[in-house]
Every structure is written in C-alpha cells, then in structure tokens.
Amino acid sequence: MLDTQRIRAVTLDLDDTLWPIWPTIARARAVLCTWLQDKAPAAAALLADPEAAAVLRSEVVQAHPHLSHDLSALARENIRTALRRCGEDTGLTSGAFDAFFAERQRVQLYDDAIAALEFLAVRYPIAALSNGNANLDLIGIGAYFQARISAREFGIAKPDPRIFHAAAEALGVPAGSVLHVGDDATLDAHGALGAGMQAVWINRAEAAWPHDGEPHATVPDLTELCRLLA
C-alpha cells in the first residue's frame, strides 16, 4: 500500500504519462519526410515506408548500442544512415533532425495533465525522469519541475536504479522518500521499486502487471493519482 506520509518528492515520467507519445512521433516522422522530399527524395521515400523504416531503425539500434540511452542521437543516426544508403547528402542530417525534433515537442497533453501538475507542484518538488528527449520548456510545462533527469544527459536509462537515485539526489531527498509515477510497468514502476522508491503505475490500458512485486498503487489516469494523494 502507498504510504503518503513518506512522500517528500515526486519523480514523473513524461512520454505516455503526461501525453501520448506515438501520435507525436507519427507527426514528427511525417514532418521529417516532408522536409526531405525535395532535398533527398530517395531517403524521404525510404523513411515514409513503415516497414522499411522500421527495419532501418532496428539496424541502427543494433549497430550503435552505445547510443541506446540517447534517442536524439539515434534519430540523427537513423536520418544519416538513410541518406547514406540512398546515396544522398548526409550534410542534410542536422536540418532534417531539427525539423523532426521541433515537431516532436508539439505534444498534446492528456486532458488531466495540467491539473495534475498544478496539484503536485504545490505539494512536492517534482523532477522529470525520462528516457525520452522531450524539452519541457518548448512544451511549455518546465515551470512545474525543480529538476530534470534524462537518460540522454545522464548516460544511463531507466530501469537502472542509478538514474532514479540521481533524481532523488537532485531533489535533495533519499530514494525512500520519493514517489515515482509513470506508465511503463518495467521502466517506471518496477524500476522505481528496484531503486527503493514508492511507485504508482499509470495503467490506462488496463494491462496485466508483468512482474513479481506489485507497485504501491495502480491508477488509470492522472486524475486518480491526485485523488490518491489528496
């Protein structure tokens, strides 16, 4: 059971916790292909083909395991590889990535996200704890967070306990006094448990819990999270 009296700080996942990520990624990939259309049409066609693009992304991940924690670096390398494979100008990589990245920041927050952030921010210091590459200031919610820990900058991704401990340290509290909230059963909830934190799993899809050792609480959305903590 969740012990609310122990909570002195909160860490929040971002993608699929505060906004749905895959519609955002789909739009960003479409913008990327449009940007490349006139400049590198063969690469644009490759990246616009869902099956071919998925194979390319898998090959890039396998070829660059040292970048597994850095989604921006992987996205850049994916674009560079597509251009090189198609015999087109790899010098377009930075501009193409910038177009992709700008659209990636145009997220559509869940309806209850701002109310939940306002609720949490007046009660606890909050840190963003993400394996993704969202920019909170570009999204417009940076003011709610006292710290931001990303796998890209830290060099280690969730569910490694070290990134959870880094977030607790950034908030100035021990891990046992932190509540971590996120949508991913393994990366978020199970990872937080392994780091000695309390964990609330945001389970919008009503999925089955896949691990031994239950999270301290499971809720269907951010509104229920706030009710739990009220």
Side-chain angles (χ1 to χ4, degrees):
M1 294 291 293
L2 185 69
D3 182 357
T4 58
Q5 298 303 309
R6 284 173 49 199
I7 303 170
R8 293 172 51 197
V10 171
T11 54
L12 271 176
D13 175 57
L14 301 176
D15 294 331
D16 283 330
T17 295
L18 296 182
W19 56 77
I21 187 56
W22 290 111
T24 305
I25 296 299
R27 292 194 304 271
R29 289 173 179 169
V31 165
L32 168 63
C33 291
T34 298
W35 191 92
L36 287 169
Q37 187 65 57
D38 295 332
K39 306 173 184 68
L46 170 61
L47 294 171
D49 182 320
E51 184 175 341
V55 169
L56 179 65
R57 287 193 297 273
S58 178
E59 291 174 354
V60 168
V61 168
Q62 292 178 20
H64 301 278
H66 60 290
L67 299 179
S68 61
H69 65 283
D70 189 340
L71 297 186
S72 290
L74 283 173
R76 285 179 181 275
E77 190 56 39
N78 193 66
I79 295 167
R80 183 180 292 108
T81 300
L83 290 164
R84 184 170 58 246
R85 187 164 296 181
C86 293
E88 293 172 325
D89 182 10
T90 58
L92 296 169
T93 299
S94 291
F97 173 79
D98 289 345
F100 169 87
F101 188 73
E103 187 64 28
R104 187 262 182 270
Q105 308 310 316
R106 297 189 179 97
V107 303
Q108 182 65 49
L109 293 164
Y110 287 120
D111 290 342
D112 55 359
I114 292 299
L117 287 170
E118 291 174 347
F119 173 91
L120 294 170
V122 299
R123 288 165 173 80
Y124 312 103
I126 307 172
L129 181 54
S130 177
N131 285 357
N133 56 358
N135 184 310
L136 296 178
D137 295 322
L138 291 177
I139 291 170
I141 57 174
Y144 294 107
F145 296 87
Q146 281 67 56
R148 308 168 192 191
I149 306 294
S150 71
R152 181 178 63 83
E153 295 177 353
F154 186 64
I156 298 170
K158 295 179 294 185
D160 192 296
R162 289 173 289 180
I163 194 170
F164 289 94
H165 293 161
E169 183 176 352
L171 293 171
V173 299
S177 298
V178 176
L179 170 65
H180 180 69
V181 178
D183 73 286
D184 193 290
T186 299
L187 302 182
D188 289 307
H190 192 62
L193 294 174
M197 294 179 173
Q198 293 195 86
V200 172
W201 182 29
I202 306 289
N203 183 16
R204 291 186 177 84
E206 299 183 351
W209 176 251
H211 302 285
D212 294 331
E214 296 279 341
H216 294 85
T218 299
V219 295
D221 53 36
L222 295 166
T223 298
E224 288 302 313
L225 169 70
C226 295
R227 289 176 180 159
L228 186 66
L229 298 176

